[in-house]
Amino acid sequence: MADTPMVAAHHVRLGSNSGQPMTRRDGIAKVTGTATYAADNHPQNLLHAVFAGASIARGRVTSLDIKAALAHPGVVHVMTPDNTPALSQDPDQKTTPFTARIDVLQNDKVRYAGQPIAVILAETLEAAVEGARLVKATYDSDQARIGFDDGEAFAPEAVGISTPPKFSTGDFEGNRKKATQSASVEMETPLQYHNAMETHAVVAEWDGDHVTVDMPNQAIGLAKPGIANYFGIPPENVTLRSPYLGGGFGSKAVLFGPQMLGILAAREMKRPVKLVLKRGQMFGPVQHRSATRQTVRYDMDADNRFLAFEHTANVSTSSFDNWLDGAANAGLSLYATPSISVSHSGTRFDTGTPGAMRAPGIATGSAVIECAIDVAAEKAGMDPLEFRLLNYAEKDPSNGKPYSAKALRGCYKAAADSFGWKDRPLKPRQMRDENGLLTGWGMGTSIFHAPFFPAKARAVLRKDGSARAETSGADMGQGAWTVLWQMAADGLGMAADDIEFDIGHSDLPDGSVAGGSAHTASAGGALFAAGNDVIRQLAEIATQDKDSPLFGAGNERVLGENGRLFKAEDPNVGESYTDILQRAGIEEIEGKGRGNRDKASTETYAMFSHGAVFAEVKVDPDLFQVRVTRLVGAFAAGRIINPRLAQSQLTGGMIWGVGFALHEEGIHDKRSGRPLNNDFAGYHIPVLADVPHLEALLVDEEDPHVNDLGVKGVGELGITGTVGAIANAVWHATGVRTARYPIKIEDLLKGAQALKA
Amino acid sequence: MKAFDYQRPETIAEAIKAASKPGASYYAGGTNLLDLMKVGVRTPDSLIDITRLDDLKRIEPQKDGSLRIGALVRNSDLARNVDILSDYPAIAEALLSGASGQLRNSATVGGNLMQQPRCAYFYDPHSACNLHEVGEGCDALEGENGKHAVLGWTKTCIAVHPSDFCVPLAAMGARVVVDGPDGSREISIDEFYTLPGSVQPPGSALKQGEIITAIILPSDAKRFAPRARYIKLRDRTSYAFAIVSAAAMLHIGDGRIKDARIALGGVAANPWRAREAEDTLNGAEANEASFKKAADAALADAKPSGDNAHKIELARRILVRALKAAADGTPPKMPDLPGSVFAVGKEAR
Ligand SMILES: Cc1cc2nc3c(=O)[nH]c(=O)nc-3n(C[C@H](O)[C@H](O)[C@H](O)COP(=O)(O)OP(=O)(O)OC[C@H]3O[C@@H](n4cnc5c(N)ncnc54)[C@H](O)[C@@H]3O)c2cc1C
Ligand code: SF4
């Protein structure tokens, strides 16, 4: 991996620790069980909280009988709307964009099944669980509205975090008239629930008006003032600890009702309280991915080039909040086209509110777009890869900006070569394996934004040669402990083993959100800059010290590496960090840093990571069970800090793509609105036998504009492209395109029967 | 969950005595019962933990050539038993196609027979379900019922029996040995399960306090060993209940089928023995035309209980597939994906 080009004032290089396939630095703690997840904390005098959930999806609680619960041995208190104090901030007010409307026993309204209607506090978990079962509610209930045909339509003001719901560019109507052929696809995607292995949890302990909260959280810097707001205390009175998360996928970036109830209960009871969601409770108050009903259409000229691209998405949200998955924005920057028209509409379901879930918008939208591309390629009589290359976007079609870097051609080639794509027959149902199974190949393009957040970090170098780097950051299992540590060590010009490193705590500088695939670039950039700031100060000391071999050397020409400062031109001339500090009699140097993305670059360039995914499926010719026998992806995401962990993220995303294409579906009863498959026996995700062969190749890409270090993200990229690749492969095997995800045996059977008739 | 008494008897007699009280429930591997207790659908007053009854943990060949399997033999152990693998291979294949390695390590033979339907409304204490209480009604009828029964159902209940293991048991006519307050008896697996009636939901022949002590695999089923398969259609490659499944066992001589045994899974409240289909095969040639005829006979009375008409066609097809696979011969080695549609064919041999 090439070193970062030296720029003035950079005294360290990204490249000694970074670029290495280091294994997880938190791995031993995790496999030996010493890594403490939030729910592993047991402060003395702890009370257990369990919430009882509503069994209706819309209406009012008319009465709540808590006598039996209170009488149950071990139960200490039952919180209900009658005895729960108001929060300092109305939980239906949204003061910042990253807030959701939450349900915290402030009234008797029920807005989705599973919404907390009472919180049982008990000396043991068992007593609290039984107490929750003993709470008997009666309701005044209205018919639940689940699904696009039953829900209430609404016109959104924004989709995703704050993107406009409609966009168009170019002479869309004019171009459509010019077109000689078109391809369109209509598809639905279901509700999907994040279901991190670690369910949402909180352990809260108050000391006067200061609260210590153990809670898995992806955005400590936002959560801290958020909690403070709800409880009417200054942000500095909130200590939030989140050293390890057992997965987040977007659902742990926002504050939710159950955790706030845990914190509220601790304040009410004047005792520490632990509240952990049961698996079944994950299907309501803590977000999910919107369901969508999408149409994608591409119009082409006689040379099979796109003239117009249209994408509409009807997207689900809750009855009381407005988050909409931005599915129809997924194709804005994907393929070359002179005109675009995309729009979103919304439908309110009586479910909890959806939110960001791994590759929000893009996963959902590209799952349909990539199918439309293959339908268009079929109409054009072209190989799907050739067709994508013909319509390759050299500039972002939505705004004409050049890409900061785009090695997608290299991705197509690397993945296609490794997969062996070139002999693919154009027509479907042409390939059978030696066992007579229908075999199909399909592909899809991966894309994800490369955003950048304003993260901060601190680094310290001490006289004895020890050092420390820190930022609040979050490791959801994606490898932040390792990757950020590598970048921090490079910042200090030291080996990773020689520095102390800390993340996951609100007393540390704000490392910003672990989300949007921006964490490595943002928090890592800040850590690198903080270390560099230390070495800059150290170099100043050395070059001004007559007794230093570096005396008089220009600042620019001094480098730190392996705990030693030396002249760039003559590495033999130099001395150790300790020598410099000891001679100067300085105890320690503190450095501060922020990552940097050039403002002008942001305005000039379109910034994305890219990739290509190729899938092979085998389908039983009579029974239509599908198995993805091979998945090969190649990805370009700027500078890769840790190839091992990047591959792990990418293959993880690809596996999720398998789940999206074939398995995941949150099913609610249409009448009651209750989730029907809210456990892992019913909510299917891929098992190992579903992913027998996975390859994630990394394609070199130097991105000089995306930020100072050229780092992009890989966390969400892998799921995009994969879903469509699988659907295309299923079509290639069977000749059938289903109208919905997940692709089901019954739909393939019906499709195949229709083809025959 | 509701507080309960816990007893761990040392003898079968003590166990029966303890379990004879209303509200008592046997507890074996716990993989089904505990889940139901956690969601509040089963609320026993006392749990009779039978895992110390070592007499029920043996697999013993009997003098008459049959094989007696104790009710507490773990699914994993049974699937790897030498006698099972050589004499009753479809049993091993069915067991290994079920659940996950961890669950099979815990699940017992008796518990597998007695496992409850996976109908989502049954699992939801707030839904109406005749298995919660007779007369409550059945929310599945107008609900999500794509995986429900196509044979033997009534409006009382349209759930299916979820076991894989029981399907080859039904095909070969295994017998269930039970002991109880009124003494011990043997019940054919056909009679062990009761289909839903006009009021009564499906269930088993067990009376309060009765314990399954063993199942007996008949010796005459050994002649199917060279041609016995279990094939299961599912939503993912492993770790999923059957959408439909079939056990097929053929005894072929002089180019003709001399004896056939067939049962279907995932179609009814019991493991569905298809005797009419077996009859069509006796004396027939072992070819696709015969198998299709048999499958038509097996599903002749099938009707959708909801949004599940596709299951009838799939059941027909899986039966044809299982018969073909059986005719091709039992693989010498257990396929990598036991019971999978992807284990059929050359890969398997
Ligand atoms: C996620 C998941 C997936 C699964 N997938 C499959 C699958 O694909 N295929 C499949 O076939 N099964 C599957 N199972 C079900 C599994 O096979 C059963 O849970 C298991 O066999 C039950 O056995 P157990 O010993 O744990 O029974 P327990 O849970 O202990 O008991 C179950 C019932 O049987 C009764 N019982 C137990 N032993 C006796 C006895 N000796 N006499 C009388 N009554 C008794 C108990 O009282 C209780 O009512 C799955 C289960 C889970 C949780
Ligand atoms: S199908 Fe049977 S188990 Fe399901 S709800 Fe109806 S009665 Fe209950």
Side-chain angles (χ1 to χ4, degrees):
Chain A
M1 187 82 26
D3 283 346
T4 305
M6 288 293 293
V7 289
H10 264 199
H11 296 276
V12 281
R13 292 190 181 114
L14 196 62
S16 300
N17 299 284
S18 304
Q20 306 299 319
M22 226 174 247
T23 53
R24 287 173 192 269
R25 301 195 64 84
D26 50 342
I28 292 192
K30 283 183 176 168
V31 297
T32 54
T34 51
T36 37
Y37 290 82
D40 293 334
N41 291 287
H42 305 278
Q44 282 212 336
N45 203 24
L46 181 74
L47 273 177
H48 294 267
V50 168
F51 72 83
S55 62
I56 64 161
R58 187 156 75 109
R60 250 171 17 88
V61 177
T62 49
S63 76
L64 210 48
D65 183 351
I66 58 169
K67 278 197 271 335
L70 276 174
H72 188 71
V75 172
V76 177
H77 181 57
V78 177
M79 285 167 66
T80 68
D82 286 343
N83 60 21
T84 300
L87 292 179
S88 297
Q89 187 202 294
D90 176 356
D92 271 354
Q93 288 300 309
K94 301 209 283 184
T95 42
T96 58
F98 252 73
T99 338
R101 299 205 166 106
I102 60 174
D103 295 282
V104 274
L105 302 181
Q106 306 282 302
N107 54 53
D108 62 6
K109 258 186 117 163
V110 176
R111 320 198 270 198
Y112 55 90
Q115 175 193 313
I117 54 168
V119 175
I120 291 76
L121 291 141
E123 300 290 351
T124 64
L125 175 63
E126 290 75 7
V129 168
E130 178 61 2
R133 197 182 67 85
L134 292 171
V135 167
K136 293 281 171 266
T138 53
Y139 303 94
D140 183 0
S141 69
D142 298 318
Q143 170 73 34
R145 300 156 303 183
I146 302 283
F148 289 105
D149 299 326
D150 297 333
E152 186 184 307
F154 92 109
E157 279 169 23
V159 298
I161 291 161
S162 53
T163 338
K166 282 189 174 40
F167 174 83
S168 63
T169 183
D171 178 14
F172 181 77
E173 290 305 328
N175 277 328
R176 229 189 207 178
K177 283 195 194 103
K178 276 191 252 160
T180 55
Q181 47 190 339
S182 77
S184 81
V185 163
E186 278 177 44
M187 270 188 109
E188 288 191 14
T189 67
L191 299 171
Q192 295 175 355
Y193 285 86
H194 300 73
N195 271 313
M197 278 303 281
E198 177 203 31
T199 61
H200 290 67
V202 68
V203 176
E205 182 167 15
W206 288 82
D207 179 4
D209 63 353
H210 182 281
V211 66
T212 302
V213 179
D214 293 298
M215 179 176 82
N217 190 273
Q218 294 175 236
I220 289 175
L222 294 173
K224 183 175 159 144
I227 294 170
N229 254 353
Y230 283 132
F231 293 94
I233 54 176
E236 56 274 20
N237 286 14
V238 177
T239 301
L240 176 58
R241 301 186 293 206
S242 180
Y244 305 102
L245 293 85
F249 311 121
S251 83
K252 288 173 182 162
V254 185
L255 299 176
F256 297 116
Q259 294 95 315
M260 295 311 103
L261 282 168
I263 300 173
L264 188 58
R267 195 179 68 184
E268 285 299 288
M269 302 306 292
K270 302 192 168 48
R271 285 174 68 175
V273 165
K274 181 191 300 198
L275 185 148
V276 183
L277 268 66
K278 293 196 279 183
R279 177 62 56 193
Q281 294 178 322
M282 296 286 284
F283 291 70
V286 292
Q287 296 189 331
H288 58 271
R289 199 196 290 280
S290 302
T292 70
R293 185 177 263 181
Q294 304 178 48
T295 305
V296 174
R297 173 167 158 176
Y298 281 98
D299 287 85
M300 297 179 277
D301 65 15
D303 297 329
N304 303 319
R305 289 178 202 272
F306 294 144
L307 284 170
F309 161 55
E310 184 182 26
H311 194 164
T312 60
N314 187 350
V315 184
S316 76
T317 188
S318 68
S319 66
F320 56 96
D321 211 339
N322 297 325
W323 169 278
L324 282 193
D325 186 81
N329 288 336
L332 291 178
S333 308
L334 200 48
Y335 295 102
T337 176
S339 60
I340 297 176
S341 166
V342 305
S343 69
H344 295 84
S345 56
T347 303
R348 298 194 177 282
F349 293 11
D350 292 312
T351 61
T353 305
M357 177 158 155
R358 203 171 191 178
I362 314 245
T364 338
S366 80
V368 183
I369 291 172
E370 293 302 321
C371 292
I373 294 289
D374 266 38
V375 171
E378 190 200 354
K379 292 218 164 156
M382 286 182 73
D383 171 78
L385 175 55
E386 300 277 300
F387 183 72
R388 282 173 174 80
L389 286 168
L390 179 72
N391 288 292
Y392 193 87
E394 300 292 355
K395 286 184 176 170
D396 185 329
S398 71
N399 52 28
K401 289 180 187 176
Y403 294 97
S404 58
K406 179 174 176 177
L408 177 58
R409 275 204 183 81
C411 297
Y412 283 141
K413 178 156 175 29
D417 287 352
S418 175
F419 184 87
W421 176 260
K422 71 177 178 352
D423 300 322
R424 178 185 178 278
L426 271 189
K427 296 240 169 309
R429 293 185 71 93
Q430 302 298 302
M431 301 197 294
R432 293 250 184 173
D433 75 357
E434 66 281 11
N435 296 315
L437 295 168
L438 298 170
T439 303
W441 292 353
M443 67 168 298
T445 304
S446 304
I447 187 168
F448 201 75
H449 327 269
F452 193 81
F453 303 139
K456 293 180 206 159
R458 177 164 58 223
V460 170
L461 177 67
R462 306 185 196 101
K463 196 161 81 177
D464 61 3
S466 67
R468 176 183 177 85
E470 54 191 27
T471 183
S472 71
D475 192 320
M476 302 184 271
Q478 85 276 38
W481 269 111
T482 310
V483 173
L484 297 184
W485 197 324
Q486 287 175 278
M487 295 175 80
D490 276 353
L492 283 160
M494 295 175 73
D497 284 343
D498 293 340
I499 70 164
E500 300 153 24
F501 183 69
D502 203 10
I503 56 173
H505 193 294
S506 63
D507 291 349
L508 306 176
D510 182 1
S512 193
V513 188
S517 293
H519 203 41
T520 304
S522 308
L527 285 158
F528 184 77
N532 182 60
D533 188 38
V534 168
I535 304 307
R536 178 190 56 76
Q537 297 173 50
L538 187 71
E540 254 172 48
I541 296 166
T543 54
Q544 287 167 23
D545 179 350
K546 282 200 213 76
D547 294 333
S548 169
L550 296 167
F551 177 66
N555 236 358
E556 295 81 28
R557 301 173 37 212
V558 173
L559 277 179
E561 209 174 282
N562 269 327
R564 191 170 161 274
L565 206 61
F566 55 86
K567 283 191 178 173
E569 290 103 286
D570 187 357
N572 289 322
V573 180
E575 61 177 333
S576 73
Y577 294 173
T578 341
D579 285 349
I580 299 168
L581 288 176
Q582 280 186 347
R583 207 171 40 244
I586 294 175
E587 282 304 316
E588 59 172 48
I589 304 179
E590 187 185 281
K592 290 202 165 120
R594 278 171 180 273
N596 184 44
R597 165 179 282 178
D598 182 41
K599 246 210 152 133
S601 294
T602 319
E603 275 145 34
T604 316
Y605 297 101
M607 298 174 179
F608 293 92
S609 300
H610 291 93
V613 180
F614 292 77
E616 175 182 86
V617 304
K618 301 271 173 86
V619 185
D620 188 287
D622 308 308
L623 295 157
F624 296 99
Q625 194 175 317
V626 178
R627 190 172 192 218
V628 180
T629 43
R630 287 194 298 140
L631 264 186
V632 178
F635 304 92
R639 174 194 288 270
I640 299 300
I641 301 298
N642 184 323
R644 181 196 307 270
L645 296 182
Q647 273 163 334
S648 152
Q649 280 296 291
L650 292 163
T651 49
M654 290 159 75
I655 293 170
W656 201 321
V658 174
F660 192 129
L662 300 180
H663 307 131
E664 278 193 62
E665 181 179 27
I667 303 169
H668 290 250
D669 183 68
K670 295 246 167 31
R671 300 155 297 180
S672 71
R674 285 194 294 277
L676 292 175
N677 59 342
N678 55 347
D679 61 29
F680 278 141
Y683 189 87
H684 280 184
I685 55 173
V687 296
L688 279 176
D690 290 308
V691 284
H693 179 104
L694 280 173
E695 253 176 82
L697 309 167
L698 298 169
V699 172
D700 277 344
E701 181 182 80
E702 255 181 59
D703 192 327
H705 308 295
V706 70
N707 50 54
D708 283 0
L709 305 178
V711 174
K712 298 176 181 171
V714 291
E716 298 169 269
L717 187 57
I719 180 171
T720 74
T722 303
V723 187
I726 293 169
N728 288 334
V730 167
W731 169 80
H732 192 234
T734 62
V736 178
R737 282 204 179 276
T738 63
R740 56 177 174 172
Y741 288 108
I743 297 168
K744 293 181 191 203
I745 288 171
E746 63 200 76
D747 292 347
L748 291 175
L749 172 70
K750 282 173 202 157
Q753 285 172 331
L755 273 186
K756 255 195 169 163
Chain B
M1 64 180 77
K2 198 187 109 183
F4 53 85
D5 272 352
Y6 172 81
Q7 298 173 52
R8 200 168 58 199
E10 302 286 336
T11 66
I12 296 176
E14 276 174 45
I16 292 170
K17 191 162 171 236
S20 296
K21 288 200 212 92
S25 185
Y26 289 119
Y27 175 91
T31 59
N32 189 213
L33 183 58
L34 262 187
D35 278 2
L36 291 167
M37 289 168 67
K38 284 188 205 161
V39 296
V41 166
R42 287 286 179 256
T43 51
D45 298 321
S46 58
L47 277 194
I48 318 302
D49 179 348
I50 53 177
T51 54
R52 290 289 167 94
L53 303 182
D54 291 343
D55 285 353
L56 306 187
K57 293 179 183 169
R58 286 193 290 271
I59 303 174
E60 297 163 314
Q62 303 294 101
K63 286 207 193 79
D64 64 357
S66 62
L67 190 67
R68 182 187 168 101
I69 302 162
L72 284 176
V73 174
R74 306 280 169 181
N75 287 188
S76 296
D77 294 336
L78 186 59
R80 299 293 181 204
N81 177 271
V82 181
D83 290 334
I84 290 286
L85 285 164
S86 65
D87 296 343
Y88 306 99
I91 296 277
E93 191 167 20
L95 283 166
L96 292 174
S97 78
S100 65
Q102 293 93 325
L103 282 160
R104 294 193 298 267
N105 288 343
S106 202
T108 64
V109 160
N112 195 314
L113 259 64
M114 291 300 291
Q115 64 175 301
Q116 302 294 297
R118 307 301 298 194
C119 170
Y121 299 97
F122 169 58
Y123 266 75
D124 173 19
H126 300 290
S127 289
C129 168
N130 286 319
L131 286 186
H132 296 162
E133 217 180 295
V134 177
E136 219 175 67
C138 169
D139 270 350
L141 283 175
E142 305 290 326
E144 297 290 328
N145 49 24
K147 297 236 160 80
H148 283 68
V150 293
L151 282 164
W153 57 271
T154 68
K155 289 201 165 176
T156 308
C157 178
I158 58 173
V160 300
H161 196 270
S163 167
D164 294 304
F165 172 50
C166 292
V167 181
L169 286 183
M172 69 176 61
R175 295 190 305 279
V176 185
V177 187
V178 305
D179 204 346
D182 302 332
S184 153
R185 58 188 177 128
E186 251 182 62
I187 314 168
S188 82
I189 191 143
D190 270 353
E191 284 155 21
F192 185 77
Y193 294 105
T194 52
L195 290 171
S198 57
V199 179
Q200 208 55 33
S204 80
L206 284 194
K207 291 184 231 138
Q208 181 73 45
E210 277 191 321
I211 183 172
I212 301 173
T213 53
I215 51 168
I216 292 180
L217 307 186
S219 67
D220 68 352
K222 286 182 190 170
R223 66 176 183 280
F224 300 114
R227 292 197 169 83
R229 290 302 299 271
Y230 178 72
I231 311 287
K232 167 182 183 187
L233 186 66
R234 50 198 137 167
D235 285 331
R236 60 181 168 191
T237 310
S238 175
Y239 197 20
F241 287 96
I243 299 170
V244 290
S245 69
M249 301 170 192
L250 296 174
H251 180 49
I252 299 180
D254 308 328
R256 300 234 160 226
I257 298 170
K258 291 191 152 166
D259 198 358
R261 297 296 167 83
I262 294 171
L264 293 169
V267 295
N270 65 5
W272 186 269
R273 174 93 179 255
R275 285 211 165 74
E276 318 71 32
E278 292 171 2
D279 291 344
T280 68
L281 287 175
N282 284 332
E285 270 179 62
N287 60 26
E288 180 142 2
S290 316
F291 299 154
K292 283 194 162 149
K293 209 171 131 199
D296 287 342
L299 278 304
D301 293 335
K303 57 180 192 309
S305 59
D307 189 16
N308 60 357
H310 58 274
K311 282 188 68 170
I312 300 173
E313 181 59 22
L314 289 172
R316 216 177 259 133
R317 291 178 182 210
I318 198 111
L319 179 51
V320 173
R321 173 63 57 81
L323 285 164
K324 268 196 219 164
D328 283 352
T330 306
K333 197 175 138 274
M334 182 61 68
D336 287 346
L337 295 169
S340 171
V341 300
F342 298 112
V344 187
K346 289 180 207 115
E347 188 197 344
R349 257 165 287 144

